[in-house]
Amino acid sequence: MSRYRASLPQANGELVITDGGLETDLLFHDGFDLPLFAAFPLVADAAGREALRRYYDRYADIARANGVGFILESPTWRANPDWAPQLGYTLAQLDDMNHAAIALMADIRDRHDSAASPIVVSGCVGPRGDGYVVGTTMSSEDAQEYHSRQVGVFAESAADMVTAITMTYAEEAVGVVRAAAAAEIPSAISFTVETDGRLPSGQPLGEAIAQVDDATDGVTAYFMINCAHPTHFAGVLDPDAPWVTRIRGLRLNASAKNHAELDEAEELDEGNPNELGLQYRGLRDALPAVSVLGGCCGTDHRHVAEICSAWLAPATGG
């Protein structure tokens, strides 16, 4: 059963970490083949499950060592209906995989959860289309209908919440939030932005957050930014703007490359973990509400350890 659904630690201001770039780590470091960038099929395989346990255990160890919580984000970013036939799954089989992924997360949680380091299980929802390019769009109503299947599975599971990762336009995000509200499970929305700080749709980040809140009566637990480098959006942050206080999470790239360059890259750009940690630290004043720290493409446990350490370091100077 869920453990923190009624009161998410990170939504209450407790600092938590989450993982880094799961898919890039599995591809480039562990040598797994991930067709269509899908990690969820590993849940059906003993070797895959063991690799996932090793992967998440590293982050749980970082959380415990720093006395902070940890969000276990399920490996289900690609486990939504349009991707199922492309990966050889029926919709019923996809439901089973989403259930199994949360069951694995719950098992990992049970081995690490403590009062000092609460472990939150999140069902990861990915975009219907590409995570970098908007492509064909849906209305908010269509998006709610589309994502309701996966969100409904998570709501019936041990998941504490759902998190929509790499949302590229506001209407799809609205649909996810409405689907989660209807299923009575908390939701978080993570937008990706381009090098100008705008969503791939061209909409300013602040306007997208306001649109989602306006369309859903502000029911979203919080917002995040992911799959972007700190330098891509730092210039659009106004600490006095109300929408900035709705941003509680950062899952950023180690690489400063834009989405097109990342899509075409044949080698992993891991950046510099220490430098990335300091760049996160540089965002603290502009993003005072942030309580979720993780990574995205090119990052792994080394980056998240540096990010957490830099964020927790006492202020210097007078």
Side-chain angles (χ1 to χ4, degrees):
M1 67 189 314
S2 63
R3 193 164 296 180
Y4 298 103
R5 191 178 294 190
S7 183
L8 299 172
Q10 71 275 24
N12 295 326
E14 293 185 41
L15 187 67
V16 304
I17 63 168
T18 187
D19 64 308
L22 169 67
E23 291 84 3
T24 53
D25 199 346
L26 292 170
L27 274 166
F28 291 95
H29 294 156
D30 288 347
F32 282 97
D33 180 28
L34 301 181
L36 301 179
F37 224 48
F40 74 85
L42 296 181
V43 174
D45 174 76
R49 289 193 298 274
E50 184 56 33
L52 289 168
R53 288 192 183 95
R54 289 195 306 269
Y55 172 84
Y56 291 111
D57 282 349
R58 297 186 190 111
Y59 294 96
D61 290 343
I62 294 168
R64 183 173 57 252
N66 287 279
V68 301
F70 173 42
I71 299 176
L72 271 167
E73 198 70 59
S74 65
T76 52
W77 182 71
R78 277 289 191 239
N80 62 68
D82 275 11
W83 297 94
Q86 299 181 63
L87 291 160
Y89 291 84
T90 66
L91 292 181
Q93 289 171 330
L94 189 69
D95 292 346
D96 290 342
M97 294 301 293
N98 277 306
H99 274 294
I102 298 300
L104 178 62
M105 298 299 99
D107 177 66
I108 296 170
R109 176 195 62 193
D110 291 345
R111 292 190 288 108
H112 294 286
D113 190 47
S114 69
S117 184
I119 311 295
V120 176
V121 173
S122 174
C124 183
V125 175
R128 184 174 189 172
D130 188 272
Y132 290 163
V133 180
V134 175
T136 302
T137 60
M138 296 178 284
S139 68
S140 298
E141 293 75 18
D142 288 343
Q144 178 179 353
E145 181 179 359
Y146 177 80
H147 287 292
S148 286
R149 185 173 191 122
Q150 186 182 27
V151 169
V153 170
F154 293 149
E156 295 170 355
S157 75
D160 297 300
M161 62 180 297
V162 298
T163 305
I165 301 286
T166 57
M167 292 290 103
T168 59
Y169 65 103
E171 288 79 8
E172 184 167 20
V174 169
V176 174
V177 174
R178 288 176 176 170
E184 299 183 338
I185 185 169
S187 63
I189 294 296
S190 190
F191 284 119
T192 187
V193 297
E194 300 290 351
T195 56
D196 60 0
R198 292 172 176 259
L199 273 61
S201 65
Q203 186 177 30
L205 177 61
E207 289 185 11
I209 291 173
Q211 181 178 338
V212 175
D213 269 346
D214 289 346
T216 60
D217 296 323
V219 72
T220 311
Y222 54 88
F223 293 84
M224 299 175 65
I225 302 171
N226 82 289
C227 209
H229 190 264
T231 57
H232 295 172
F233 62 87
V236 305
L237 300 175
D238 176 1
D240 295 323
W243 63 267
V244 170
T245 64
R246 295 288 281 132
I247 299 175
R248 283 195 175 273
L250 298 172
R251 297 194 59 153
L252 308 180
N253 292 344
S255 173
K257 292 178 179 176
N258 62 35
H259 289 150
E261 291 169 330
L262 288 174
D263 223 10
E264 296 171 359
E266 296 183 0
E267 296 183 359
L268 185 65
D269 185 353
E270 299 179 344
N272 181 301
N274 180 260
E275 180 181 55
L276 186 62
L278 294 176
Q279 288 169 326
Y280 268 69
R281 170 68 178 239
L283 294 170
R284 285 202 320 184
D285 290 343
L287 291 169
V290 163
S291 56
V292 181
L293 301 171
C296 204
C297 297
T299 64
D300 55 42
H301 63 284
R302 299 168 300 161
H303 299 79
V304 173
E306 292 288 350
I307 290 164
C308 185
S309 177
W311 198 272
L312 289 171
T316 59

